[in-house]
Amino acid sequence: MAASMCDVFSFCVGVAGSARIAVEVRFVSSAKGKGLFATQLIRKGETIFVERPLVAAQFLWNALYRYRACDHCLRALEKAEENAQRLTGKPGQVLPHPELCTVRKDLHQNCPHCQVMYCSAECQLAAAEQYHRVLCPGPSQDDPLHPLNKLQEAWRSIHYPPETASIMLMARMVATVKQAKDKDRWIRLFSQFCNKTANEEEEIVHKLLGDKFKGQLELLRRLFTEALYEEALSQWFTPDGFRSLFALVGTNGQGIGTSSLSQWVHACDALELKPQDREQLDAFIDQLYKDIEAATGEFLNCEGSGLFVLQSCCNHSCVPNAETSFPENNFLLHVTALEDISPGEEICISYLDCCQRERSRHSRHKILRENYLFVCSCPKCLAEADEPNVTSEEEEEEEDEGEPEDAELGDEMTDV
């Protein structure tokens, strides 16, 4: 069941604010599907729209490793100093300017039944009203035999860090429909995301789960059905439907990253300081990140993913004119113009990170083909069409070190 374009757009206006006058969704082609286009001049640096996801969920290993985030909006719950102490492994680490930390622990709430944490009473209520009543395990939160705990443990045993998806995002989709008074509306909203053929779906699932994906997928489907079966979504619980659901999340899931420490650093950058004080603070922050890298590596943020209606309409370009970010330290996605965008011009983001965009056309196409199942024809790729279809020695070394495998979904993990 496909949603009409009017259904999709009218919903987005409600959650995206400025999207009403800045953008519109248009059909581009059978190959690209929908696209997002400017309806007025958008200046470089302007926020094009801010969007709330239909659903979002923290990655399971990320949560297990004590990256504490609001169970609804993914706002980081640790104070910046606590965050720094955990990431550096130094319990005595002290941050200057503690007043710049934005975390309000006095507002934090927990579910009275299962104790999961929220950043505010508003988030607790929003989660309860949309999906949490179905998913709340109550006093069985730590019971390994609870159906949802069995599903999550199976997922963790299959999908190790670096994480690019979560079975709980799919669980929240089902729970949202189960709780909804207007089930058809939510089914239409979820159904409008990019659809793939059976062969393409299989490729996506294979990429997420590895060489033994068929057996793993059937195990997950069985556990998913035991925990969450819903008659109105019966097609999602069949082998073909579950694979389609997996492919939907694998193709459209947008990475979300939040960090109270990052928010503190941005606030420090905005301070008006004497040159000597600025130099000292910058040196302190540089050393702090060196200590974090030595202790924790690249896993700095509370990480998860969400489904965003407008963002999912943004096609890829290796020379994007817009970028995504999460500057509010929660799941609200901001899309910002990287250059002036004229009325009628398509708004494109990049599914690759900055380093990947600097690689050869052949290497960029390899990453995009493996993860998003398309061949890019952006201006940069067309200009480089005569380049040989080979990977440079330097890029081959990066591949041998696992660089694209560990960071292949640039769109999946966006900086705060």
Side-chain angles (χ1 to χ4, degrees), residues 39 67 86 147 168 175 183 208 214 282 302 305 323 358:
T39 58
Y67 287 75
R86 179 173 57 80
M168 293 310 294
K183 298 181 187 298
L208 285 172
K214 287 185 178 177
D282 288 347
C302 298
S305 63
E323 66 178 356
E358 295 305 313

Side-chain angles (χ1 to χ4, degrees), residues 26-209:
R26 299 180 193 166
F27 178 77
V28 179
S29 67
S30 56
K32 293 182 72 173
K34 300 187 293 285
L36 198 65
F37 292 80
T39 58
Q40 64 184 49
L41 175 63
I42 302 170
R43 295 293 187 186
K44 177 180 179 180
E46 285 186 343
T47 299
I48 303 172
F49 63 87
V50 179
E51 184 176 13
R52 180 188 302 271
L54 296 183
V55 287
Q58 187 178 6
F59 292 148
L60 290 179
W61 279 106
N62 190 262
L64 191 67
Y65 285 150
R66 296 187 298 116
Y67 287 75
R68 296 178 53 228
C70 173
D71 198 58
H72 182 64
C73 78
L74 272 69
R75 183 183 298 277
L77 298 179
E78 289 178 307
K79 288 277 191 179
E81 189 167 272
E82 293 173 323
N83 195 193
Q85 290 169 350
R86 179 173 57 80
L87 293 176
T88 59
K90 298 179 178 179
Q93 177 72 64
V94 176
L95 298 185
H97 304 288
E99 72 281 359
L100 298 180
C101 177
T102 59
V103 174
R104 292 282 308 277
K105 288 199 168 187
D106 57 309
L107 299 179
H108 293 179
Q109 301 281 328
N110 63 326
C111 170
H113 307 293
C114 69
Q115 309 308 314
V116 297
M117 292 297 299
Y118 299 95
C119 68
S120 64
E122 289 78 12
C123 272
Q124 181 186 357
L125 179 61
E129 290 185 344
Q130 183 180 339
Y131 56 81
H132 189 67
R133 289 198 298 271
V134 166
L135 297 179
C136 181
S140 301
Q141 171 76 356
D142 298 318
D143 181 1
L145 298 181
H146 188 279
L148 280 173
N149 289 336
K150 289 167 65 176
L151 177 65
Q152 293 179 73
E153 180 56 33
W155 176 259
R156 281 192 294 263
S157 71
I158 292 168
H159 195 70
Y160 290 97
E163 298 172 272
T164 56
S166 172
I167 196 72
M168 293 310 294
L169 189 64
M170 292 175 261
R172 289 187 179 183
M173 293 169 69
V174 172
T176 293
V177 174
K178 288 175 80 77
Q179 283 193 205
K181 293 180 180 178
D182 187 352
K183 298 181 187 298
D184 288 342
R185 173 177 173 269
W186 280 99
I187 293 172
R188 286 197 305 271
L189 286 168
F190 290 134
S191 297
Q192 64 85 37
F193 284 98
C194 178
N195 293 316
K196 300 290 185 181
T197 67
N199 287 341
E200 289 174 327
E201 289 169 355
E202 188 165 292
E203 276 194 60
I204 295 169
V205 178
H206 189 290
K207 191 69 182 176
L208 285 172
L209 297 185

Side-chain angles (χ1 to χ4, degrees), residues 2 12 19 24 38 44 83 95 107 161 174 176 193 214 227 235 245 260 276 338 344 361 373 389 404:
C12 289
E24 67 179 7
K44 177 180 179 180
N83 195 193
L95 298 185
L107 299 179
V174 172
T176 293
F193 284 98
K214 287 185 178 177
Q235 72 276 12
L245 181 62
S260 54
Q276 182 178 355
L338 294 173
R361 175 178 178 270
L373 307 179
N389 288 329

